Amino acid sequence: MATVTDTPIRIGVMGCAEIARTVSRAIDLAPNATIAAVASRSLEKAKTFATANGYKQSVKIHGSYESILEDPEVDALYIPLPTSLHVEWAVRAAESGKHILLEKPVAMNVAEFDKIVAACEKNGVQMMDGTMWAHHPRTAKLKEFLFDSDRFGQLKNIHSCFSLAVDEDFLKNDIRVKPNLDGLGALGDLGWYAIRAALFANNFELPKIVAASPGTVLNEAGVILSCGASLSWEDGRTASIYCSFLANVGMEITAVGTNGTLCVQDFVIPFEETHATFTTCLKSGFNDPWVSRPTEHSVKTEIPQEACMVREFARLVGEIKNKGAEPDGFWPNISRKTQLVVDAIKESVEKNCQQISLSGR
Amino acid sequence: MATVTDTPIRIGVMGCAEIARTVSRAIDLAPNATIAAVASRSLEKAKTFATANGYKQSVKIHGSYESILEDPEVDALYIPLPTSLHVEWAVRAAESGKHILLEKPVAMNVAEFDKIVAACEKNGVQMMDGTMWAHHPRTAKLKEFLFDSDRFGQLKNIHSCFSLAVDEDFLKNDIRVKPNLDGLGALGDLGWYAIRAALFANNFELPKIVAASPGTVLNEAGVILSCGASLSWEDGRTASIYCSFLANVGMEITAVGTNGTLCVQDFVIPFEETHATFTTCLKSGFNDPWVSRPTEHSVKTEIPQEACMVREFARLVGEIKNKGAEPDGFWPNISRKTQLVVDAIKESVEKNCQQISLSGR
């Protein structure tokens, strides 16, 4: 947590995507961060965005991405640019000594992401991706349950899904259906979260095998609009994931362990900003499955999960800036694993659902 | 529904499995059925079962399966024998003019099941399998929602799972882990329901492709203890299923359509006998996924779902017996489709998750 004497981390917003509105508010709400600057490809666009989001007069407006990189009063950059631009701008940001909060998917593939990580390591800057739910206090409670060898036991299977039905305009014009922009489509935009949930429940161990499920839907340009996949680990742990731009909202986790069951209905974006729920079911009998009924748990959060994310990012940046700490390798490490699984599912889709081995990756 | 003047359908219980206890109670509770006889491989076993389940003195006790087949005061047989014995005894029952309520899985494979169906057709007897949840009044409400083109739209994906953690004794000794008894293991015993749910949501259209997911767990004798599978239909409809003897209770359906979402937490065995719930979520916005919050619905049932099953079976038998109606082809038809998918998943498991085409089956 920031102490009263710490100066808030000065964050620059690099790009004016829709999601940048949510994160701007989150930076405002995080006690240890402040919006210092905003950049777009034109001064006018950046100004319009700043006004629309109620930025203070003191926020600097940059008419180009280069310009914000050179701003000495910016500690860190939030980068919600299209995925295809991540490798260029995240590397340049790191080389400019800026810490990076990078939207997901972090890159078009892991080779690109490795360039970003290398630049961050070389320049001693923190990298974190924009997976908000990871920072909700509920997630810590889910982790407690999933790794409780009495209540949950050993994980056997997790199903996670994220779907949101888009409109016709989105399917024609959104950057998330354009191969040269967010070319990973629904897999990168929504599947990212479902994959992250599967990795989370497996303590971020990479699966051994990944296979796309039959029935992937691509648009005319070959971008994934909807897909599913199966993942398997050693000792019989498995996962299935589903993501789609074509189906109504679903954001469920169902995880079954040897002793317990976990259900979350809204894992990506909780129903309420102030609290979030999950359900657990303890050891059942074969002939009386509901001998233990499901129990609902509710977890409060002082600030929305996206503000928790900014607060944690700013805390890590503060440790580096003010105390000479090293960047925390946990966050880029789990981004990389998520990207590896995204890549493997895409490869399996391209190879008619062939099994892809992740051993050695 | 039975009218007061109808004589209850006289059902014989052929085999004394654990599940026969539940169905005996169901026959008692169904207004149009009565237990007329019970058979086991010995008179003593049949007597013990009759006493333990509080059968009336008038219930005839048979010391062999042959004997109950010849009982002229039995209209129909409930057959909870091990799966490997179904083809022999269901065919003999049909040839004896008995209507058949047959436990699931209905056979070791569809070729065997087709022999049962042929015998039923030849002898004009009704066949129905023991999928209890199909008869709960909630299921009719789920159907209403799933086929409401406004509220749900077109189905895109359904995930269904059924897991129950068994104990060490079960894993060593239960008939459901023995290749020569219930040789389809968890796939036949639990996966059956998950597959049925996927077919139900697809209006019983067979999928085009079925593929087992990596990570199937077999016992030393090669019986499936845990597995998952992906199914796909034309026009981008998909399903994933999971079943396991090794994981704590899970019996979820999550179905997403173009307009709506359906969640059921206890689809196989409702938490309560008197009513059952499900949750629907209507059209969401991409940038505000919870613009419509999930709504919980509760459906009452006068009698438990297994008694609803017996009531429907007895009703169909009554139509045939008393009014000269033809057997209803719906039930054997959906049993056959479920068995076809069971067979395809097993084949895919045996072929290292190869895609199995169901076209033409």
Side-chain angles (χ1 to χ4, degrees):
Chain A
M1 300 294 132
T3 63
V4 210
T5 54
D6 283 338
T7 317
I9 298 302
R10 299 164 303 177
I11 299 181
V13 174
M14 192 171 175
C16 300
E18 180 68 26
I19 187 70
R21 300 169 60 90
T22 304
V23 175
S24 293
R25 175 170 169 259
I27 299 170
D28 245 8
L29 291 170
N32 57 348
T34 188
I35 299 174
V38 59
S40 190
R41 279 166 296 175
S42 78
L43 210 54
E44 199 190 351
K45 279 186 78 174
K47 265 185 198 162
T48 306
F49 185 84
T51 307
N53 287 278
Y55 282 8
K56 290 178 196 150
Q57 288 294 332
S58 57
V59 173
K60 257 192 278 184
I61 311 293
H62 293 277
S64 75
Y65 301 144
E66 286 85 355
S67 170
I68 202 171
L69 293 186
E70 290 161 11
D71 189 333
E73 291 174 355
V74 165
D75 300 310
L77 289 167
Y78 167 61
I79 308 182
L81 297 174
T83 313
S84 58
L85 302 180
H86 284 189
V87 62
E88 176 181 356
W89 291 104
V91 167
R92 289 179 70 171
E95 286 172 348
S96 304
K98 309 299 189 200
H99 304 275
I100 303 166
L101 182 59
L102 185 61
E103 261 311 327
K104 32 57 56 184
V106 290
M108 289 300 292
N109 53 59
V110 80
E112 282 190 4
F113 184 62
D114 283 346
K115 291 182 190 167
I116 297 172
V117 173
C120 290
E121 286 178 354
K122 191 172 162 200
N123 294 281
V125 300
Q126 181 66 47
M127 182 270 157
M128 179 187 277
D129 74 43
T131 306
M132 298 167 177
W133 71 264
H135 302 273
H136 196 292
R138 171 175 65 179
T139 304
K141 292 288 174 190
L142 301 181
K143 188 177 167 186
E144 258 178 39
F145 182 69
L146 288 168
F147 296 96
D148 184 323
S149 58
D150 290 329
R151 289 189 300 156
F152 187 70
Q154 284 72 53
L155 178 76
K156 288 296 179 182
N157 179 257
I158 172 170
H159 176 73
S160 55
C161 66
F162 189 16
S163 57
L164 286 172
V166 303
D167 59 19
E168 282 303 312
D169 180 60
F170 184 109
L171 287 177
K172 275 186 194 153
N173 302 315
D174 196 87
I175 62 166
R176 282 164 282 208
V177 299
K178 303 290 181 188
N180 58 340
L181 294 168
D182 279 349
L184 296 170
L187 177 62
D189 195 45
L190 308 181
W192 178 273
Y193 296 102
I195 293 164
R196 176 65 65 84
L199 290 170
F200 168 71
N202 281 283
N203 205 17
F204 296 106
E205 188 187 325
L206 272 181
K208 297 293 168 198
I209 292 173
V210 168
S213 304
T216 300
V217 180
L218 307 174
N219 69 8
E220 286 177 3
V223 174
I224 293 171
L225 301 180
S226 171
C227 73
S230 301
L231 290 65
S232 82
W233 287 257
E234 271 169 15
D235 59 54
R237 279 171 289 149
T238 55
S240 57
I241 68 118
Y242 173 73
C243 59
S244 180
F245 283 146
L246 307 175
N248 198 51
V249 61
M251 32 177 111
E252 293 227 339
I253 290 175
T254 304
V256 282
T258 45
N259 294 344
T261 303
L262 170 71
C263 294
V264 190
Q265 274 200 288
D266 57 353
F267 84 98
V268 185
I269 303 167
F271 298 136
E272 308 291 341
E273 270 201 340
T274 52
H275 64 280
T277 62
F278 63 99
T279 303
T280 57
C281 189
L282 301 186
K283 203 165 181 117
S284 60
F286 186 80
N287 289 315
D288 186 3
W290 300 124
V291 62
S292 296
R293 298 299 167 89
T295 307
E296 189 172 275
H297 309 263
S298 182
V299 184
K300 284 186 192 170
T301 182
E302 286 171 32
I303 52 177
Q305 62 178 6
E306 56 272 23
C308 297
M309 173 180 77
V310 171
R311 183 175 62 189
E312 176 62 6
F313 174 67
R315 187 185 70 77
L316 293 171
V317 172
E319 293 286 312
I320 299 166
K321 185 182 168 187
N322 303 322
K323 300 178 189 164
E326 291 291 310
D328 187 335
F330 174 76
W331 298 103
N333 184 33
I334 66 170
S335 300
R336 185 176 194 275
K337 286 177 171 174
T338 314
Q339 185 76 46
L340 269 173
V341 176
V342 166
D343 291 5
I345 294 174
K346 186 160 179 276
E347 184 181 346
S348 181
V349 165
E350 288 161 359
K351 294 179 174 168
N352 191 30
C353 304
Q354 194 182 301
Q355 294 186 14
I356 307 299
S357 165
L358 286 183
S359 301
R361 290 199 189 180
Chain B
M1 299 295 129
T3 63
V4 210
T5 55
D6 282 338
T7 317
I9 297 304
R10 300 164 302 177
I11 300 182
V13 174
M14 190 171 176
C16 301
E18 180 67 26
I19 187 71
R21 301 169 60 90
T22 305
V23 175
S24 293
R25 174 169 171 260
I27 299 170
D28 245 6
L29 291 170
N32 56 348
T34 189
I35 298 174
V38 59
S40 190
R41 280 166 296 173
S42 77
L43 210 54
E44 197 190 351
K45 280 186 78 174
K47 266 186 196 160
T48 306
F49 185 84
T51 307
N53 288 278
Y55 282 8
K56 290 178 198 149
Q57 288 293 332
S58 57
V59 173
K60 257 193 281 185
I61 311 291
H62 293 278
S64 74
Y65 301 144
E66 285 86 354
S67 170
I68 201 171
L69 292 186
E70 290 161 14
D71 189 333
E73 291 175 356
V74 165
D75 299 310
L77 288 166
Y78 167 61
I79 308 182
L81 297 174
T83 313
S84 58
L85 302 179
H86 284 191
V87 62
E88 176 181 358
W89 291 104
V91 166
R92 290 178 70 170
E95 287 171 348
S96 305
K98 309 300 188 201
H99 305 276
I100 303 166
L101 181 59
L102 184 61
E103 261 311 327
K104 30 58 54 184
V106 289
M108 289 299 292
N109 53 58
V110 80
E112 282 191 3
F113 184 62
D114 283 346
K115 291 183 189 167
I116 297 172
V117 173
C120 290
E121 286 178 355
K122 193 173 162 200
N123 294 283
V125 300
Q126 181 66 46
M127 181 270 157
M128 180 187 278
D129 74 43
T131 307
M132 298 167 177
W133 70 265
H135 302 273
H136 196 291
R138 172 174 66 179
T139 304
K141 291 289 175 190
L142 301 181
K143 188 176 168 186
E144 257 178 39
F145 183 69
L146 288 168
F147 296 95
D148 184 323
S149 57
D150 290 330
R151 289 190 299 156
F152 187 71
Q154 284 72 53
L155 178 76
K156 288 296 178 181
N157 179 258
I158 173 170
H159 176 73
S160 55
C161 65
F162 189 16
S163 57
L164 286 172
V166 302
D167 59 20
E168 281 303 313
D169 181 59
F170 184 109
L171 286 177
K172 276 187 194 152
N173 302 316
D174 196 86
I175 62 164
R176 281 164 283 209
V177 299
K178 304 288 182 191
N180 58 339
L181 294 169
D182 279 348
L184 295 170
L187 177 61
D189 194 44
L190 309 180
W192 178 274
Y193 296 102
I195 293 164
R196 175 66 65 86
L199 290 170
F200 169 72
N202 281 284
N203 205 17
F204 297 105
E205 188 185 326
L206 272 180
K208 296 294 167 198
I209 293 173
V210 168
S213 303
T216 300
V217 180
L218 306 174
N219 70 7
E220 285 177 5
V223 174
I224 293 172
L225 300 180
S226 170
C227 73
S230 301
L231 290 65
S232 82
W233 287 257
E234 270 168 15
D235 59 53
R237 279 171 290 149
T238 55
S240 56
I241 68 118
Y242 173 73
C243 59
S244 180
F245 284 146
L246 307 176
N248 198 52
V249 62
M251 30 178 114
E252 293 228 337
I253 290 175
T254 304
V256 283
T258 45
N259 294 343
T261 304
L262 170 70
C263 295
V264 189
Q265 274 199 288
D266 57 353
F267 84 97
V268 184
I269 303 167
F271 299 136
E272 309 290 341
E273 270 201 341
T274 51
H275 64 278
T277 61
F278 63 100
T279 303
T280 58
C281 189
L282 301 186
K283 203 165 180 114
S284 60
F286 186 81
N287 290 314
D288 186 3
W290 300 122
V291 63
S292 297
R293 297 299 167 87
T295 307
E296 190 173 274
H297 309 262
S298 182
V299 184
K300 285 186 191 171
T301 183
E302 285 170 33
I303 51 177
Q305 61 177 5
E306 56 271 24
C308 297
M309 175 181 76
V310 171
R311 182 175 62 188
E312 175 62 8
F313 175 67
R315 187 186 70 78
L316 293 171
V317 172
E319 293 287 312
I320 299 165
K321 184 181 170 189
N322 303 320
K323 301 180 187 162
E326 292 290 309
D328 187 334
F330 174 76
W331 298 104
N333 185 32
I334 66 170
S335 301
R336 184 175 196 276
K337 286 178 172 175
T338 314
Q339 185 76 47
L340 269 173
V341 176
V342 167
D343 291 4
I345 294 174
K346 186 158 179 277
E347 184 182 346
S348 182
V349 164
E350 287 161 359
K351 293 179 174 169
N352 191 29
C353 304
Q354 195 181 301
Q355 293 185 13
I356 307 299
S357 166
L358 286 183
S359 301
R361 290 199 190 183

